[in-house]
């Protein structure tokens, strides 16, 4: 064998000029084969194979050692790295509970908003052959996103191109609808134009507080901070009820920041709070106060509507306020709840309470004469005045004409102890029990050190302070046959299944005056809105109104301002069977008169009229004036109107915070408006009469700013 | 000849391959799911395994002399494949290297097959000159043999595979009986070549510097190493449990390929990782036993280097994953996702099985069984 291959026959090599294989063979050394040679080759090779094996196995041993040290020995650097990127020790808050009104209409709720991120890494890879692709997928994506998000494409492109970036946040607070729209569009583009766009988007949800009523009741409801804690208003005072369970656990995240939890860890949802508020009455009050501010140019205006008999607050408005959904532009000043936080000198609205005390002590009857001293009366070394001088008048007229001197005389007759004790019983200088953040209880002198002049001014509401809530509570006491109910705002706490876990029924505080005294006082207060009274502008057509105007000098920096006034009106409707006690305060009106009856009376009238309608309290036909407008002058239609208003369908909120508009067909314009009011829906109304057709169709969800067309016939 | 079957090798290969399928699925399912098909990589890997097994079986039942007869054909086919990776339209690139050739949805990496083709030719050459391997002319000839392939592979560029081919050729020369001063020379030459190659490309340089301190370039070159360490460390002794890897969730890019061992370590833990290393050890042991028992020098040289190929690739892959050597782009044999590597490695197993089947019982000190004329008559050349 070896001989045959070893040396080619010389003859053939001479014939062929050049054959590489032959040439190579001639160049290489002669082969050596055979059993003996093989024996040495094989034994050497065997030895070397063993060495080879030993080398590899030694390498494996090194691997085992290295793996052991990597995987078993503690390494703070690696562990920290793992913690940072995989896990995050978080406090998970269960969903914050809702705040709803007495009819379970949402006032505050929690919806998920989304952050949108882009991982540009996928775009920078070379395209897969055969699949659709474009030259510059980064610009393509930036273009789509800039269109959808209304941001600069240039800027976005620059951010996406920054080397090494794998997480570019392009949007925050996207609604689910917006997120889906963007995702769908990018997906469609990925299919058609460039498959690399397929997996570049990722998002995470952040719970956000949403207030469907926009600025309605905003200062009362308050705000939630970024840490999920209540920051103001009821959100703060009821934080422990609303806040979901806090569950501390280790959250795992993948590279894209998405959460991975092997077993679902559930943090219990917070409870819902059912308020005594009625969203409809709240809205009515908001609108009345807004127009009051517009009309009077007041610095602030606030009102409290309380249900007589229960002490439940149906509406609490404080202006100025702000839409709490406005996110970044929130100013805490706009969330000051003046109705509970401002202790004002109430002025003349205090007089009925002093009068009630005098009646209760049987010192006077409503027709007892009181000498008003012709408008000026010296107490100690100071003189007190009446705006409208009177001589001897009845007690009723003291109230009707709002005589300071007459009131002071009552207080002197009662003496400091009894005067202040009754006022305290009416709730003044006492905490209301609402526990609103920053709520004040006002100040009142103690009977031990009150000077006569101070007693005199206290009788007409100066040198003493009270909040609008206290005023409403006090006047509700008179309306409630002399029994003061503790004002309250929270009806019940419900768990997430809607089961009541804590109920707050109306609570009687104390009897302050007898039934008779209360009724007499209310009757005296009715004269205020009668011809010649100070509060005629508070009248409501078809109902009897009992009330009292107040105009107080405003105390600014320790002295009474010569110009600033606080006008107010507190009252009860309907006077003969009281349902609502309303306190309206207009702080520093700048346009026109600043008399309480003029600045606060119309708002009272508006609130009272619309609220009674919502409550289904029919007007007394005998009281209706001749020259009245359509709605009330047609008795056949009025009850229907009222019924429709009460049954006006509520808008419902979709999960993503849009409004679902109910079927409005058949409703009067007023009822249709009362349904969609306050939601920021742009209305276009055609025709008059009843709603014949609405566009978009009933049940369509609309977002703030969307247009709703109503055709009436 | 009575063909015997090496059950050890088959068993070890089968365990590693099945484990590979499981881990490829585990490591890729989440990401593949985002791409629309959770089974994407598993399905493709199953096809590769099926193709590899067919090639393996066919080779295992083919006598080794057939491999020797068609060695030129195989070498040429691989060369053609490598040249095609330079042809636009056929080449398919990924991560900046043009290592693949695409046929529709199948992409093959000829360099994986080139390793075996080179070893086949080399083993034949060294078999023929087995008695005179110490001669410088034989060494030179043997060195020239893999050169065309290596040049084509380095041009792709694929430094890792080039180094592997060179290293395997050196190992074969070593096994064939190279003298010690040659071994030292080749070692030096290889080292210089490697250093020169490293210096010539910035990305290779970056890999080296990042290797020395991955934390310094945590966001760039060191990223893989850090992520791999984090994964392994979180694995601990018993692992996080199958399917529970965090690293595969986009932290390790393409965790089903080169860095699959990090996912294995994280999910299965140190104990099982060591078992896998032991399986590779077992594979190496069996492969080298087959080499010693081969019926001829060709079988011995080829079996030992093919075993070394699998063994070293496993070593270097794991060493890269553990940050012991600079990143190279080597797969973990039988386990990592990748059609070419899987088919080529199973083919290598087929060759080993074929060599094993023809094994002899003759003592090592007696050389190989002599065939034909040489077996019957004393060799004249033996004394020369």
């Amino acid at each position: 064998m070896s001989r045959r291959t070893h040396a080619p026959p010389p003859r053939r090599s001479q014939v062929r000029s050049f054959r590489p294989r032959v040439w190579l063979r001639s160049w290489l050394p002669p082969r050596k084969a055979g059993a003996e040679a093989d024996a040495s080759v094989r034994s050497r090779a065997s030895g070397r194979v063993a060495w080879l094996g030993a080398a590899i196995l030694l390498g494996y041993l090194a691997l085992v050692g290295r793996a052991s040290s990597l995987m078993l020995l503690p390494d703070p650097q690696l562990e920290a790295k793992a913690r940072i990127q995989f896990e995050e020790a978080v406090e998970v808050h269960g969903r914050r509970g809702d705040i709803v009104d007495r009819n379970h209409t949402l006032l505050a709720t929690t919806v998920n908003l989304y952050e949108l991120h882009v991982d540009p890494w996928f775009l920078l890879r070379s395209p897969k052959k055969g699949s659709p692709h474009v030259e510059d997928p980064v610009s393509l994506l930036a273009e789509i996103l800039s269109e959808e998000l209304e941001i600069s494409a240039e800027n976005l492109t620059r951010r996406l191109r920054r080397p090494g970036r794998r997480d570019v946040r392009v949007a925050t607070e996207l609604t689910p609808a917006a997120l889906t729209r963007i995702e769908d569009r990018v997906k469609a583009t990925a299919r058609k134009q460039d498959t690399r766009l397929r997996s570049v988007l990722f998002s995470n949800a952040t719970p956000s507080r949403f207030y469907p009523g926009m600025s309605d009741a905003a200062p009362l409801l308050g705000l939630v901070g970024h840490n999920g804690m209540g920051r103001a208003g009821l959100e703060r005072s009821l934080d422990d009820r609303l806040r979901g369970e806090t569950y501390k656990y280790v959250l795992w995240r993948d590279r894209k920041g998405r959460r991975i939890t092997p077993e679902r860890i559930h943090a219990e949802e917070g409870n819902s709070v059912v308020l005594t508020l009625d969203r409809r009455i709240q809205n009515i009050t908001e609108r009345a106060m807004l127009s009051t501010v517009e009309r009077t140019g007041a610095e602030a205006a606030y009102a409290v509507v309380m249900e007589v008999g229960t002490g439940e607050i149906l509406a609490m408005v404080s202006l100025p306020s702000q839409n709490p959904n406005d996110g970044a532009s929130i100013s805490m000043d706009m969330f000051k709840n003046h109705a509970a936080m401002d202790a004002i000198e109430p002025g003349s609205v205090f007089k009925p309470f002093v009068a009630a005390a005098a009646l209760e002590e049987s010192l006077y009857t409503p027709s007892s004469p009181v000498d008003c001293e012709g408008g000026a009366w010296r107490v100690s070394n100071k003189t007190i005045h009446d705006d409208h001088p009177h001589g001897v008048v009845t007690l009723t007229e003291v109230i009707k004409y709002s005589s300071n001197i007459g009131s002071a005389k009552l207080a002197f007759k009662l003496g400091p102890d009894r005067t202040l004790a009754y006022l305290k019983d009416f709730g003044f200088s006492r905490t209301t029990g609402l526990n609103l953040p920053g709520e004040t209880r006002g100040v009142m002198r103690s009977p031990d050190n009150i000077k006569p002049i101070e007693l005199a001014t206290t009788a007409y509401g100066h040198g003493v302070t009270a909040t609008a809530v206290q005023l409403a509570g006090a006047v509700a006491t008179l309306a409630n046959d002399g029994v003061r109910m503790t004002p309250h705002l929270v009806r019940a706490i419900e768990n997430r299944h809607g089961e009541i876990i804590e109920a707050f029924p109306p609570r009687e505080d104390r009897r302050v005056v007898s039934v008779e005294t209360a009724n007499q006082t209310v009757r005296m207060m009715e004269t205020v809105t009668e011809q010649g009274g100070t509060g005629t502008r508070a009248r409501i057509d078809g109902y009897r109104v009992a009330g009292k105007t107040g105009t107080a000098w405003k105390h600014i920096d320790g002295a009474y301002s010569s110009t600033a006034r606080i006008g107010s009106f507190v009252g009860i409707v309907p006077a003969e069977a009281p349902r609502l006690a309303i306190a309206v305060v207009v702080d520093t009106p700048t346009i026109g008169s600043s008399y309480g009856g003029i600045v606060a009376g119309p708002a009272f009238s508006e609130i009272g009229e619309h609220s009674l309608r919502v409550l289904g309290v029919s007007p007394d036909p005998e009281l209706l004036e001749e020259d009245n407008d359509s709605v009330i002058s047609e008795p056949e239609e009025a009850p229907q109107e009222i019924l429709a208003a009460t049954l006006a369908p509520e808008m419902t909120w979709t999960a993503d915070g849009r409004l679902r508009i109910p079927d409005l067909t058949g409703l009067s314009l007023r009822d249709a408006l009362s349904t969609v009011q306050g939601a920021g829906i742009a209305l276009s109304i055609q025709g008059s009469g009843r709603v014949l057709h609405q566009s978009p169709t009933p049940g369509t969800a609309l977002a703030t700013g969307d247009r709703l067309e109503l055709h009436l016939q | 000849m009575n063909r015997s079957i090496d059950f050890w090798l088959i068993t070890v290969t089968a365990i590693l391959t099945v484990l590979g399928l499981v881990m490829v699925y585990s490591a890729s399912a989440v990401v593949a799911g985002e791409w629309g098909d959770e089974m994407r990589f598993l399905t493709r890997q199953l096809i590769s395994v099926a193709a590899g097994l067919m090639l393996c079986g066919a080779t295992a039942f083919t006598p080794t002399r057939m491999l020797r007869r068609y060695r030129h054909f195989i070498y040429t086919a691989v060369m053609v494949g490598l040249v095609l990776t330079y042809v636009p339209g056929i080449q398919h690139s990924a991560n900046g290297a043009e290592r693949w050739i695409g046929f529709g949805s199948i992409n093959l990496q000829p360099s994986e097959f080139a390793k075996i083709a080179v070893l086949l030719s080399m083993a034949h050459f060294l078999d023929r000159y087995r008695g005179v391997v110490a001669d410088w002319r034989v060494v030179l000839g043997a060195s020239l043999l893999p050169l065309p392939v290596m040049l084509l592979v380095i041009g792709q560029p694929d430094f890792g595979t080039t180094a592997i081919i060179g290293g395997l050729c050196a190992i074969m020369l070593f096994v064939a009986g190279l003298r010690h001063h040659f071994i030292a020379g080749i070692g030096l030459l290889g080292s210089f070549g490697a250093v020169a190659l490293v210096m010539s490309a910035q990305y290779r340089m970056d890999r080296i510097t990042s290797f020395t301190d991955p934390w310094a370039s945590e966001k760039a070159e060191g990223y893989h190493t850090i992520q791999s360490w984090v994964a392994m460390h979180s694995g601990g002794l018993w692992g996080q449990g199958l399917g529970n890897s965090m690293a595969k969730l986009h932290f390790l890019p393409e965790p089903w390929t080169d860095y699959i061992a990090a996912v294995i370590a994280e999910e299965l833990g140190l104990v099982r990782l060591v078992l896998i290393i032991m399986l590779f050890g077992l594979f190496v042991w069996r492969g080298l036993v087959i080499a010693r028992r081969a019926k001829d020098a060709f079988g011995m040289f080829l079996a030992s280097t093919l075993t070394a190929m699998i063994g070293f690739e496993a070593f270097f892959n794991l060493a890269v994953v553990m940050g012991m050597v600079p990143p190279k782009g080597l797969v973990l044999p039988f386990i990592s996702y990748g059609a070419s590597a899987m088919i080529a490695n199973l083919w290598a197993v087929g060759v080993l099985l074929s060599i094993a089947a023809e094994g002899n019982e003759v003592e090592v000190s007696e050389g190989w069984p002599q065939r034909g004329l040489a077996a019957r008559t004393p060799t004249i050349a033996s004394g020369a």
Side-chain angles (χ1 to χ4, degrees):
Chain A
M1 176 184 170
S2 57
R3 192 186 298 170
R4 225 175 5 174
T5 51
H6 181 238
R11 222 182 325 146
R12 276 168 111 194
S13 70
Q14 282 161 358
V15 173
R16 302 275 174 96
S17 55
F18 177 71
R19 289 195 300 167
R21 201 177 272 196
V22 176
W23 176 80
L24 265 175
R25 263 182 218 153
S26 67
W27 187 76
L28 284 163
R31 291 180 203 159
K32 208 157 99 183
E36 249 175 80
D38 277 359
S40 94
V41 170
R42 193 180 176 198
S43 37
R44 185 191 292 145
S46 289
R48 293 199 167 172
V49 163
W51 277 109
L52 179 65
I56 296 174
L57 296 181
L58 200 69
Y60 286 179
L61 216 59
L63 289 180
V64 170
R66 174 72 176 155
S68 307
S69 79
L70 253 180
M71 296 171 75
L72 297 182
L73 297 183
D75 185 330
Q77 201 176 8
L78 286 181
E79 279 151 23
K81 179 83 185 160
R83 259 198 310 280
I84 291 164
Q85 65 180 31
F86 296 159
E87 49 179 271
E88 193 184 315
V90 281
E91 284 182 6
V92 169
H93 303 292
R95 185 183 175 277
R96 191 176 178 85
D98 295 333
I99 301 179
V100 298
D101 83 343
R102 63 200 291 129
N103 302 317
H104 284 79
T105 308
L106 278 180
L107 298 175
T109 188
T110 297
V111 292
N112 274 338
L113 293 181
Y114 292 84
E115 273 183 6
L116 185 65
H117 299 247
V118 171
D119 182 353
W121 184 69
F122 290 94
L123 300 174
L124 304 176
R125 302 172 68 179
S126 49
K128 200 169 161 55
K129 240 195 337 246
S131 56
H133 61 270
V134 295
E135 200 56 45
D136 185 2
V138 174
S139 296
L140 178 65
L141 180 70
E143 205 178 295
I144 296 171
L145 292 178
S146 66
E147 264 175 49
E148 291 288 345
L149 301 166
E150 292 171 3
I151 51 175
S152 146
E154 226 172 279
N155 185 18
L156 184 59
T157 310
R158 200 167 49 243
R159 284 171 63 205
L160 291 177
R161 282 199 204 285
R162 232 168 256 167
R165 287 289 290 274
R166 293 215 55 177
D167 184 353
V168 180
R169 191 170 75 176
V170 295
T172 57
E173 304 201 336
L174 284 179
T175 61
L179 179 71
T180 313
R181 194 178 61 232
I182 295 170
E183 280 178 343
D184 287 351
R185 185 161 165 201
V186 170
K187 258 183 219 156
T189 313
R191 254 195 318 276
K192 281 186 221 124
Q193 297 187 40
D194 194 322
T195 43
R196 284 172 293 177
L197 257 57
R198 200 166 37 185
S199 42
V200 294
L201 294 185
F202 54 106
S203 59
N204 46 13
T206 44
S208 307
R209 203 69 168 155
F210 182 68
Y211 301 88
M214 308 299 164
S215 62
D216 277 15
L220 171 63
L221 296 174
L223 283 173
V224 176
H226 290 295
N227 55 1
M229 305 252 286
R231 192 166 157 211
L234 289 171
E235 295 277 26
R236 184 163 147 195
S237 63
L238 297 171
D239 194 52
D240 56 334
R241 314 298 180 88
L242 289 164
R243 192 139 35 101
E245 180 192 11
T246 300
Y247 194 97
K248 277 186 198 176
Y249 79 113
V250 174
L251 179 73
W252 295 80
R253 289 180 183 283
D254 74 1
R255 178 95 191 272
K256 298 184 170 188
R258 287 172 302 206
R259 297 169 176 209
I260 306 137
T261 36
E263 63 266 48
R264 198 150 195 85
I265 294 162
H266 182 74
E268 203 60 43
E269 243 179 58
N271 297 314
S272 286
V273 172
V274 183
L275 298 184
T276 60
L277 237 49
D278 185 316
R279 195 174 107 79
R280 297 167 301 174
I281 295 178
Q282 176 74 31
N283 190 263
I284 287 164
T285 312
E286 292 279 350
R287 283 187 301 165
M289 297 314 289
L290 274 170
S291 63
T292 300
V293 169
E294 210 170 291
R295 189 166 44 81
T296 61
E299 264 178 23
Y302 36 103
V304 174
V305 179
M306 192 183 273
E307 188 180 56
V308 172
T310 58
E312 291 183 345
I313 290 170
L314 298 176
M316 191 186 290
V317 171
S318 171
L319 295 177
S321 71
Q322 189 182 11
N323 183 348
N325 303 316
D326 282 351
S329 64
I330 290 291
S331 154
M332 284 314 282
D333 291 344
M334 297 290 150
F335 288 86
K336 183 178 181 192
N337 186 358
H338 295 280
M341 291 162 84
D342 279 9
I344 50 154
E345 289 182 88
S348 309
V349 294
F350 238 49
K351 289 169 187 164
F353 310 117
V354 180
L359 290 175
E360 181 70 10
E361 293 294 321
S362 303
L363 302 173
Y364 289 88
T365 66
S367 52
S368 305
V370 181
D371 185 359
C372 292
E373 307 283 351
W377 188 43
R378 220 175 154 72
V379 176
S380 306
N381 54 354
K382 296 218 165 70
T383 308
I384 55 178
H385 298 275
D386 277 343
D387 283 353
H388 309 283
H390 291 282
V392 177
V393 295
T394 61
L395 179 60
T396 305
E397 284 165 330
V398 166
I399 299 299
K400 180 174 180 179
Y401 303 130
S402 192
S403 167
N404 294 340
I405 296 164
S407 295
K409 291 218 164 152
L410 302 184
F412 281 135
K413 196 87 173 249
L414 279 162
D417 289 324
R418 286 191 289 186
T419 306
L420 299 178
Y422 273 102
L423 288 175
K424 200 160 184 170
D425 282 349
F426 273 111
F428 297 108
S429 81
R430 283 198 286 144
T431 52
T432 59
L434 296 182
N435 289 323
L436 290 168
E439 191 179 4
T440 174
R441 54 179 191 169
V443 290
M444 197 160 70
R445 305 262 173 208
S446 97
D448 308 326
N449 57 14
I450 194 166
K451 293 176 198 149
I453 181 65
E454 288 167 349
L455 182 62
T457 61
T458 298
Y460 56 89
H462 280 86
V464 59
T465 61
T467 64
V469 174
Q470 286 175 328
L471 290 172
V475 76
T477 306
L478 292 175
N480 191 37
D481 295 337
V483 175
R484 182 176 181 272
M485 303 300 290
T486 305
H488 78 292
L489 255 173
V490 181
R491 261 196 161 180
I493 309 289
E494 290 182 351
N495 66 15
R496 65 197 175 93
H497 306 296
E499 295 155 359
I500 292 174
I501 53 173
E502 209 176 340
F504 301 97
R507 212 152 39 91
E508 187 183 315
D509 175 30
R510 64 189 67 175
R511 174 166 286 282
V512 182
V513 292
S514 66
V515 179
E516 200 188 358
T517 303
N519 290 343
Q520 282 173 344
T521 312
V522 170
R523 241 170 282 131
M524 291 197 296
M525 288 166 76
E526 271 183 60
T527 62
V528 171
T529 61
E530 281 166 11
Q531 207 61 45
T534 53
T536 50
R537 296 201 188 203
R539 260 192 245 176
I540 303 170
D541 202 15
Y543 303 93
R544 275 157 54 190
V545 173
K548 183 72 194 80
T549 58
T551 311
W553 290 281
K554 193 175 179 183
H555 217 105
I556 300 174
D557 300 329
Y560 284 108
S561 159
S562 57
T563 52
R565 300 281 184 277
I566 296 177
S568 53
F569 192 94
V570 299
I572 307 156
V573 281
E576 68 281 8
R579 290 291 300 273
L580 301 173
I582 305 169
V584 177
V585 180
V586 181
D587 186 350
T588 323
T590 56
I591 303 168
S593 165
S594 49
Y595 278 105
I598 292 163
V599 294
F604 177 93
S605 169
E606 190 181 339
I607 297 165
E609 177 179 0
H610 294 143
S611 301
L612 287 174
R613 204 174 288 274
V614 163
L615 294 175
V617 180
S618 307
D620 187 343
E622 287 177 20
L623 295 170
L624 289 172
E625 283 172 22
E626 297 287 317
D627 57 347
N628 234 321
D629 66 303
S630 59
V631 181
I632 302 177
S633 62
E634 291 167 41
E636 303 95 287
E637 207 178 357
Q640 260 184 12
E641 203 64 57
I642 289 158
L643 195 65
T646 338
L647 297 178
E650 293 281 350
M651 291 184 287
T652 51
W653 295 90
T654 61
D656 57 341
R658 288 181 302 161
L659 280 162
R660 191 161 280 135
I661 309 296
D663 193 349
L664 302 172
T665 47
L667 293 182
S668 69
L669 178 58
R670 179 190 290 236
D671 294 333
L673 291 182
S674 83
T675 295
V676 297
Q677 71 200 353
I681 303 281
L683 281 171
S684 90
I685 296 152
Q686 287 164 19
S688 60
R690 291 181 179 275
V691 178
L692 186 68
H693 172 68
Q694 74 189 86
S695 166
T697 52
T700 309
L702 295 182
T704 304
D706 285 353
R707 180 162 290 275
L708 176 67
E709 282 183 37
L710 296 178
H711 299 266
L712 285 80
Q713 200 182 335
Chain B
M1 193 182 286
N2 179 27
R3 297 180 73 90
S4 59
I5 298 165
D6 195 309
F7 285 107
W8 274 105
L9 197 73
I10 292 174
T11 310
V12 169
T13 307
I15 293 174
L16 288 172
T17 306
V18 170
L19 181 86
L21 288 171
V22 172
M23 292 316 298
V24 162
Y25 177 68
S26 172
S28 69
V30 174
V31 175
E34 288 168 16
W35 295 359
D37 178 16
E38 222 176 64
M39 308 285 284
R40 178 191 169 103
F41 293 102
L42 179 62
T43 319
R44 291 175 179 211
Q45 186 77 337
L46 274 167
I47 294 168
S48 309
V49 168
L53 283 178
M54 275 192 279
L55 192 57
C56 172
T59 312
F61 288 102
T62 308
T64 51
R65 67 185 149 82
M66 300 299 282
L67 284 171
R68 297 178 79 161
R69 181 175 297 168
Y70 293 112
R71 68 188 188 281
H72 292 312
F73 174 75
I74 294 168
Y75 194 98
T76 311
V78 161
M79 285 292 286
V80 169
L82 286 172
V83 169
L84 286 179
T85 63
Y86 290 88
V87 179
I90 298 170
Q91 64 171 212
H92 176 79
S93 58
N95 305 327
E98 283 133 14
R99 296 176 190 174
W100 288 268
I101 48 176
F103 308 99
S105 64
I106 303 164
N107 293 311
L108 286 176
Q109 199 179 345
S111 53
E112 291 288 342
F113 300 95
K115 287 184 271 194
I116 300 175
V118 165
L119 293 181
L120 216 55
S121 296
M122 184 103 165
H124 176 80
F125 178 81
L126 290 178
D127 175 290
R128 299 188 95 187
Y129 293 92
R130 59 185 179 271
V132 288
V133 172
D135 192 291
W136 68 272
R137 285 167 295 184
V138 175
V139 175
L140 190 66
S143 306
L144 289 173
L145 204 55
L147 211 59
V149 167
M150 285 172 74
L151 284 174
L152 283 173
V153 173
I154 195 73
Q156 285 180 338
D158 187 347
F159 176 69
T161 308
T162 312
I164 284 273
I165 294 175
L168 290 172
C169 290
I171 286 169
M172 197 185 288
L173 278 169
F174 166 74
V175 169
L178 201 61
R179 278 198 205 143
H180 288 95
H181 60 264
F182 269 125
I183 297 172
I186 287 180
L188 267 173
L189 207 68
S191 309
F192 278 126
V195 168
L197 278 173
V198 165
M199 306 273 272
S200 71
Q202 185 56 44
Y203 82 97
R204 292 188 194 119
M205 203 61 204
D206 289 343
R207 282 184 178 183
I208 302 288
T209 46
S210 78
F211 157 69
T212 53
D213 184 12
W215 292 102
S217 55
E218 199 189 321
K219 295 245 182 321
E221 287 78 22
Y223 180 80
H224 279 71
T225 306
I226 299 281
Q227 289 301 328
S228 176
W229 283 351
V230 167
M232 291 187 73
H233 190 72
S234 97
L237 192 58
W238 295 105
Q240 299 284 350
L242 188 63
N244 294 342
S245 162
M246 294 299 302
K248 68 188 182 189
L249 302 169
H250 299 285
F251 289 106
L252 269 178
E254 307 196 343
W256 50 91
T257 58
D258 298 0
Y259 280 83
I260 196 167
V263 178
I264 294 175
E266 189 183 3
E267 295 194 350
L268 303 182
L270 176 67
V271 171
R272 296 183 188 93
L273 181 69
V274 168
L275 279 175
I276 290 168
I277 296 174
M278 283 168 70
L279 281 173
F280 278 110
L282 211 59
F283 185 95
V284 168
W285 171 62
R286 280 319 294 177
L288 295 182
V289 164
I290 288 168
R292 277 167 71 112
R293 286 189 190 158
K295 70 162 183 181
D296 51 19
F298 169 80
M300 184 166 197
F301 298 161
L302 186 58
S304 54
T305 38
L306 286 178
T307 306
M309 176 180 86
I310 305 278
F312 276 120
E313 276 185 12
F315 169 79
F316 280 114
N317 175 276
L318 291 168
V320 166
V321 167
M322 295 179 202
M324 298 162 76
V325 299
K328 275 195 200 57
L330 292 175
V331 300
L332 187 58
F334 308 122
I335 293 180
S336 287
Y337 172 81
S340 307
M342 178 58 83
I343 295 170
N345 287 330
L346 286 175
W347 184 28
V349 172
V351 173
L352 283 175
L353 288 173
S354 175
I355 294 167
E358 295 170 357
N360 72 84
E361 298 298 324
V362 176
E363 284 295 313
V364 166
S365 57
E366 289 174 23
W368 288 283
Q370 302 293 307
R371 288 171 301 162
L373 192 68
R376 285 191 302 273
T377 57
T379 313
I380 298 162
S382 62

